[in-house]
Each structure stands twice: as C-alpha cells, then as structure tokens.
Amino acid sequence: MNTRTSHLTPRPGIMRISPYVGGRSALGGQQNVIRLASNEAALGPSPRAIAAYAAHGDSLHRYPDGGAGDLRAALGALHKLDGERIVCGTGSDELLQLLTKAYAGPGDEVLYSRHGFLVYQLAALAAGATPVAAPETDLRADIDALLAHVTEKTRIVFLANPNNPTGSYLPRGELRRLWNGLPENILLVIDSAYAEFVMADDYEAGAELAERAKNVVMARTFSKIYGLAALRLGWCYASEEVIDVLNRVRGPFNVTGPALAAGLAAVADQEHVDKARRHNDKWLRRLAGECAKIGLETLPSVGNFMLLRFAAGGARDAKAADAFLTARGILARNVDSYHLPDCLRVSIGLDHEMDALLDALKEFMA
Ligand SMILES: Cc1ncc(COP(=O)(O)O)c(C=O)c1O
C-alpha cells in the first residue's frame, strides 16, 4: 500500500522545529546601537585576519581548499592535536547538525540539559530524532540527571561547556564522570564554543577526552573569541572514525576561501586572543561587582556573556528591564526560549558599551 500523501510532506519532526531566533542586532532607524544580544566578540577580529580576508578578494573565482589543510595544520600545531583528526565547518553549528544527522534519526534520542544551547534540540528534530532534556541543578548541567536520562535509544549527548546562555561550566572531573557513565555507542559532543575565554584551572575544553575516546567530539568556533562570526567558521576534533563520517557527509567545499584565509591569520595572532581574554575577564568581574552593588543578581559566568536575574513580575522584571535597555539603544538577549523568563543575557562589549549598560541598569534598579 502506498502510504505517501498526495502533497509535499517533510519528514516527521521538521514541522515541530521553531526556527532559531537569534539576538536582535538592530533597532529600527536608530544609529549607535549597543549590541549585547549575540555573544559576539567585543574587540572584533585580529587586524591580521581582516587583512587576510580582504586579500582573498583577488581569488574569489577559485574554489577553496575543500580539505582546509592549512587551517587544520595550524589548529593542530596551536592545540597540540593531530590535524588529521580535525574537520572544519561552516560555523560549529554546521558540525553539530552534521553529527546529529549522521548519528541519530527517527526513533533515536538526543540528550542535553534543560538550559543547554538551543541548537541541540533543533538539530535533533531536523534529524527526525527525539530531543530529551535532563534537568539542571542551579543552572548547571547535572551529570547524574543526564546519566539518569540515558536510555537504549540515546545516540548523542550534547554538552556545551561553558554553556550558553547560563555561563556555567563543568570542571574536568565532572566531564570525565559523564563520559565514564556513557556506553561506548553514544556520542558525547562537547561544545566548547567559549573555551578560549575560560580562566579556571579545573577547566578542560574536551581535547584530552576526544584524544583517547572514540565516542567523544570537541566542537570549537571562530565566532566567539576570534571574532569571525560573519564568516561562519568552526572546527571539531574527534576519533578517526567520527572524522571519517563527517568527511563523508559534509559538502566538498563547506568552508569558504575567505573564511579559511581569515581563520589562518586569526590563529597566528594569539596576542589578539590574549587581549580579548583579558578584556573579557576584566568585565566579567566588573559587571558582577557593579550589579551586586545595585542589588541585581548575576549568575557566575566563564563565557563572554552573563545572565542578569531580575525579580519575577512587577515593575522591575526582566521584560521591563529589556524594554528599558532597548529604549536606551542597548540590545540584550531575552532568554524565554531557554526557560529563563526572569533573566536577560548580556554579552561583554567594549568599555564604553559596558559603562552605558551599567549606567542604564543603575537607573533601572534605582
Ligand atoms: C554553545 C554554542 N555552541 C555553538 C555556537 C555556534 O557557533 P557558530 O557561530 O560557530 O555556529 C554558539 C553560538 O552562539 C554557542 O553559543
């Protein structure tokens, strides 16, 4: 019997996807908007990356190196990893999507934590798999809860470390405990998009685990500390088996030439990375300290963003704060879709942008 319908029908799950809504980037007609809604790089990219990008203008008629050989070698040298076990992608987002489609499908479950990065749920649905969210404790991934939600059907566990939007992270020991508790046929994807910002001694981006475990992937991006979000460039490190799978399912030229050129120059400029890290660290501390003085709760963060928690309901709730900031040309991120209706997420911006944010918050809280 032909069970097909007579009209175009996407695979089950697709219509359950609510298209991803990013942070606002503009305010109708207003100049000088302060964009703190998308965890973009405060300092922007290295001037060397911008120059490499511009220089690539002469080669736009050439196909890029589909294997991203030079960039993989540079990343391998920088992180002391085998460049053969790296795959580059159109943002780490592409790699997260490809991994999900390659390892999960209808009838399978994809597990992540309740306030985890939204893309995991979207990727699971796009693959026809069932997204499963485990509860968190104090806005932090809870290893016991994650392991308790593993079933026969679980194919992938996603963990953002640090997590967006909470800013929390799991230390090395907890990461190991998660991996130890997972059967070998489940892929653990450690999404370390914000790894370069983390100063904590007990933090591990996941490379050590991915180095020795066949079922671990570490995903990284050039969108955050490297400031190349517009170019869409990410990479991941995994076992030969997983890399082989990714190389089969990715597009032959999935990363553009300008992105490869800029990425290579960005990797070579670690001074710029250090400068960005120091700027971020200074403002993470200052923002938390200044907010405490005005009675505004902040959640501890090791990323380039922070959650501000407002009193629920009433004149000083998160919605009122969002409107107040917007009226002053400051764009924060509403995190309702992350089940955090009392919070706003703000990225760490430039000095004058952070001063403007603090002035506005002081006025709001007064
Ligand atoms: C945790 C996390 N992972 C991945 C990404 C996606 O980064 P990319 O720009 O490389 O696709 C983001 C972007 O905000 C993120 O917050």
Side-chain angles (χ1 to χ4, degrees):
M1 191 181 73
N2 186 358
T3 55
R4 288 184 183 258
T5 55
S6 57
H7 55 277
L8 279 178
T9 312
R11 283 191 293 101
I14 303 290
M15 299 314 288
R16 281 177 60 208
I17 300 174
S18 310
Y20 181 84
V21 180
R24 291 168 302 159
S25 58
L27 273 179
Q30 199 167 324
Q31 303 285 320
N32 302 325
V33 174
I34 298 181
R35 294 171 56 160
L36 304 178
S38 299
N39 299 346
E40 293 159 346
L43 307 188
S46 153
R48 287 158 68 175
I50 297 172
Y53 168 77
H56 200 83
D58 292 339
S59 315
L60 292 185
H61 56 307
R62 304 286 180 205
Y63 277 99
D65 168 12
D70 291 346
L71 183 59
R72 287 189 297 103
L75 287 167
L78 176 70
H79 295 282
K80 301 187 175 55
L81 299 172
D82 178 0
E84 295 298 315
R85 287 171 55 186
I86 290 175
V87 170
C88 295
T90 311
S92 56
D93 191 40
E94 185 199 19
L95 298 167
L96 303 176
Q97 301 277 358
L98 288 176
L99 285 165
T100 312
K101 290 200 179 92
Y103 287 95
D108 297 332
E109 293 177 356
V110 172
L111 180 60
Y112 49 87
S113 65
R114 176 165 167 79
H115 305 292
F117 186 43
L118 267 185
V119 161
Y120 312 146
Q121 184 202 14
L122 306 185
L125 289 170
T130 305
V132 178
E136 298 194 2
T137 304
D138 299 331
L139 298 190
R140 208 165 151 265
D142 180 327
I143 301 299
D144 296 309
L146 279 167
L147 291 176
H149 281 74
V150 170
T151 72
E152 285 285 299
K153 295 178 180 168
T154 310
R155 297 270 66 85
I156 303 178
V157 176
F158 278 109
L159 178 80
N161 200 34
N163 183 50
N164 168 23
T166 54
S168 59
Y169 78 101
L170 291 184
R172 183 179 294 113
E174 289 283 276
L175 208 54
R176 301 270 154 131
R177 198 160 73 78
L178 174 60
W179 174 70
N180 273 324
L182 293 177
E184 283 175 8
N185 65 344
I186 295 180
L187 188 69
L188 172 60
V189 181
I190 304 170
D191 175 358
S192 307
Y194 301 92
E196 293 87 353
F197 291 107
V198 187
M199 303 287 226
D201 291 339
D202 60 356
Y203 174 74
E204 165 187 316
E208 291 88 338
L209 265 185
E211 181 74 49
R212 62 191 175 91
K214 283 194 172 19
N215 62 334
V216 176
V217 178
M218 171 184 70
R220 306 286 289 259
T221 183
F222 281 82
S223 299
K224 304 302 173 184
I225 209 159
Y226 286 107
L228 294 176
L231 290 181
R232 315 301 304 123
L233 182 60
W235 60 283
C236 71
Y237 189 68
S239 60
E240 279 167 20
E241 286 87 336
V242 173
I243 293 300
D244 177 48
V245 167
L246 280 174
N247 277 327
R248 288 167 195 267
V249 295
R250 72 176 172 85
F253 302 103
N254 60 328
V255 179
T256 67
L260 291 174
L264 195 59
V267 167
D269 191 356
Q270 289 299 310
E271 265 175 42
H272 185 77
V273 172
D274 285 342
K275 194 167 142 197
R277 188 171 20 238
R278 284 197 302 276
H279 173 83
N280 194 66
D281 192 51
K282 174 183 85 178
W283 273 108
L284 282 179
R285 289 162 201 264
R286 200 175 286 176
L287 183 58
E290 294 297 318
C291 286
K293 285 186 204 161
I294 56 172
L296 176 58
E297 184 186 353
T298 54
L299 280 300
S301 172
V302 294
N304 68 337
F305 55 89
M306 190 171 271
L307 280 182
L308 312 176
R309 183 146 56 192
F310 297 85
R316 288 212 191 95
D317 69 1
K319 289 235 163 353
D322 201 10
F324 190 90
L325 293 175
T326 302
R328 280 153 188 76
I330 302 174
L331 300 180
R333 178 75 142 101
N334 165 314
V335 279
D336 284 2
S337 52
Y338 285 96
H339 318 290
L340 297 164
D342 299 335
C343 297
L344 288 181
R345 190 194 68 199
V346 289
S347 319
I348 300 298
L350 292 166
D351 288 346
H352 75 273
E353 295 173 328
M354 299 310 284
D355 287 337
L357 171 69
L358 281 173
D359 286 348
L361 288 172
K362 275 176 201 158
E363 212 184 309
F364 178 73
M365 296 297 287

